[in-house]
Amino acid sequence: QVQLMESGGGSVQAGGSLRLSCAVSGNSISRYYMGWFRQAPGEQREGVASIARVGTITYADSVKGRFTISRDSARTLYLQMSGLKAEDSAMYYCAADPMKWPGLQPAYAYWGQGTQVTVSS
């Protein structure tokens, strides 16, 4: 069983930056397929960025060139967000799966509780 805990959310003005972190308990992060998702009120959860165990990365078109997903050698997944826009405001979740890589689809086995990002224009 893996537990995920996000942090780093907050309020920022448009054009600003934030870095989200996801602490992974249990096995080394390299044993999981990982993803970042977001969900705004009244909207479906959407994939933002994902990273496979071997390091392959995918991004949603809406964040390419602005967001960067990375992981350290131990137990933390990151999402560096720059050039933030009002439409990036949402609850951000990290997700993990030990067996399959759903990519940007919300089909991961494990989920964190989320961290709120609010961007004011």
Side-chain angles (χ1 to χ4, degrees):
Q1 185 88 10
V2 61
Q3 292 184 326
L4 309 173
M5 182 172 292
E6 304 93 338
S7 62
S11 297
V12 64
Q13 289 191 331
S17 300
L18 283 174
R19 188 176 78 158
L20 306 184
S21 299
C22 174
V24 180
S25 68
N27 290 320
S28 169
I29 194 172
S30 63
R31 299 185 66 172
Y32 298 100
Y33 300 94
M34 304 286 300
W36 283 102
F37 290 77
R38 66 187 181 188
Q39 188 168 20
E43 301 290 332
Q44 290 189 338
R45 190 167 295 190
E46 66 168 340
V48 174
S50 66
I51 183 167
R53 290 191 299 201
V54 296
T56 307
I57 290 173
T58 62
Y59 293 101
D61 288 341
S62 59
V63 306
K64 281 180 182 176
R66 300 188 299 121
F67 290 11
T68 302
I69 188 172
S70 64
R71 61 190 182 195
D72 66 15
S73 60
R75 301 181 187 279
T76 307
L77 180 74
Y78 301 100
L79 185 69
Q80 178 67 47
M81 305 186 295
S82 303
L84 283 162
K85 306 175 182 179
E87 51 263 42
D88 294 320
S89 296
M91 186 71 78
Y92 282 72
Y93 301 89
C94 73
D97 199 299
M99 300 297 291
K100 66 184 185 297
W101 186 30
L104 298 179
Q105 298 302 310
Y108 288 74
Y110 302 101
W111 292 83
Q113 294 298 307
T115 185
Q116 179 69 40
V117 172
T118 302
V119 184
S120 57
S121 57

